[in-house]
Amino acid sequence: MTQPDVPVPVRLERVVDSLFRGDWRTARGELRRGGDAEGQRALVDVMSCLRRVANCQWLQCALGDVQAAMGELDRATDTLVRLGAKSAGGGRLLIVAEPACSTQPQHLMRTTTRLVVRERAELDALRLIFSDITRGGRELVYACAEHLTWVEFDPFTVLVHEHDQELLGLGDAAYRRFRIANPQDISARATKLRQFAAVRRGSVTSQTWHRMGGYGSVREAALMVLAGEQLTRGRADLSVRLGRACAVQYAKHWAKTLRPDFDANLV
């Protein structure tokens, strides 16, 4: 556990590391501690950006709300640009090399920029998938793939925290369903992904889930999707969240075990 007297910059470095791993729970706990930013407005702004990223990950994990998650990144991007981060316009941040002589706030701004770029690239890739996906069944399959990466295979979600339900912000019924892939929540996740891409209206209904054969069939198809993908959908030069890494690696091992001649390029 982090001690209360740990300097704010050191604690923010730990928050960045936690968020790169996808451990938004630990990041939120560290950020709630607040502390003296030593009179440096830049540190306060970086802390605000990291809260946005933690919210972005929580929204995707607990609620599947990708639109709200992107909104958090938009606000973090605006703050980083105001702090001096380079932008290519349209919400796109540029990762620049860190100079040899860099203050701690500047270093934290750059590492936070890398984190925001990583998160945005993943969401952009997901939006692109849903912009060109077959209606209905495939939407449900990809929504299940998101459940696998954010819930079933995410080590920080598999671990049931002491204040688990409170951290997730879920009501009793939603919390009881949370870790189990089910038609209600996977359909809701698929609907939010469809709306995020903004190419068609309406909801993805649970009837599609049952028509496909239920949990077993949908999960199998989702694993095959992950087996055929690269480790990261976004920026290959930035480290991938552990939940996605664990899900993709399992899916590839599963596919190879069943079919030794499995070629991800042919999926």
Side-chain angles (χ1 to χ4, degrees):
M1 180 179 295
T2 305
Q3 298 301 315
D5 60 350
V6 172
V8 168
V10 174
R11 193 169 338 128
L12 293 184
E13 291 281 5
R14 294 178 179 178
V15 169
V16 170
D17 289 343
S18 294
L19 291 172
F20 265 115
R21 293 194 301 272
D23 184 7
W24 55 267
R25 296 165 180 82
T26 294
R28 277 183 152 188
E30 294 285 0
L31 290 166
R32 273 199 298 268
R33 294 175 182 274
D36 183 8
E38 302 170 2
Q40 298 186 67
R41 178 65 201 179
L43 284 180
V44 175
D45 287 336
V46 166
M47 197 179 301
S48 173
C49 290
L50 293 173
R51 285 195 183 95
R52 298 289 187 191
V53 177
N55 288 343
C56 167
Q57 293 187 359
W58 162 69
L59 284 161
Q60 292 180 81
C61 176
L63 306 177
D65 196 339
V66 284
Q67 188 66 58
M70 185 63 95
E72 293 290 330
L73 297 181
D74 287 341
R75 289 184 278 276
T77 297
D78 290 343
T79 300
L80 288 168
V81 169
R82 179 165 53 78
L83 285 174
K86 301 296 182 183
S87 171
R92 288 179 54 227
L93 290 170
L94 299 177
I95 298 176
V96 297
E98 186 163 356
C101 297
S102 178
T103 66
Q104 205 155 28
Q106 289 173 331
H107 169 70
L108 278 165
M109 184 194 76
R110 288 185 175 89
T111 55
T112 301
T113 297
R114 289 172 61 84
L115 181 60
V116 171
V117 167
R118 195 273 303 269
E119 298 295 312
R120 182 180 287 276
E122 291 295 321
L123 280 172
D124 282 341
L126 195 55
R127 193 197 320 251
L128 187 60
I129 288 171
F130 272 76
S131 296
D132 193 39
I133 203 171
T134 305
R135 184 185 184 94
R138 293 303 286 171
E139 291 172 315
L140 208 59
V141 167
Y142 273 89
C144 185
E146 289 301 288
H147 170 86
L148 294 177
T149 66
W150 283 104
V151 180
E152 185 171 331
F153 286 97
D154 180 69
F156 310 110
T157 302
V158 172
L159 177 66
V160 181
H161 292 255
E162 182 181 359
H163 304 290
D164 197 51
Q165 184 174 352
E166 179 185 347
L167 286 167
L168 287 163
L170 298 175
D172 291 343
Y175 182 66
R176 285 193 294 270
R177 296 191 312 266
F178 172 65
R179 286 180 172 80
I180 304 167
N182 63 84
Q184 180 176 340
D185 292 328
I186 300 300
S187 297
R189 190 181 282 270
T191 296
K192 289 171 183 173
L193 286 161
R194 169 191 283 185
Q195 294 169 351
F196 181 52
V199 294
R200 56 175 68 101
R201 298 181 181 180
S203 301
V204 181
T205 70
S206 57
Q207 292 177 347
T208 305
W209 169 281
H210 298 299
R211 202 162 46 238
M212 293 177 67
Y215 170 71
S217 298
V218 176
R219 184 176 186 272
E220 177 189 347
L223 284 172
M224 189 56 70
V225 162
L226 292 174
E229 291 187 336
Q230 298 298 317
L231 193 58
T232 175
R233 289 174 176 158
R235 291 283 297 258
D237 58 327
L238 297 174
S239 60
V240 70
R241 203 171 38 81
L242 284 181
R244 170 144 180 106
C246 290
V248 171
Q249 288 164 1
Y250 173 84
K252 289 183 183 297
H253 177 73
W254 165 77
K256 275 286 189 183
T257 300
L258 291 179
R259 290 165 39 192
D261 61 342
F262 173 78
D263 185 347
N265 295 319
L266 300 179
V267 175

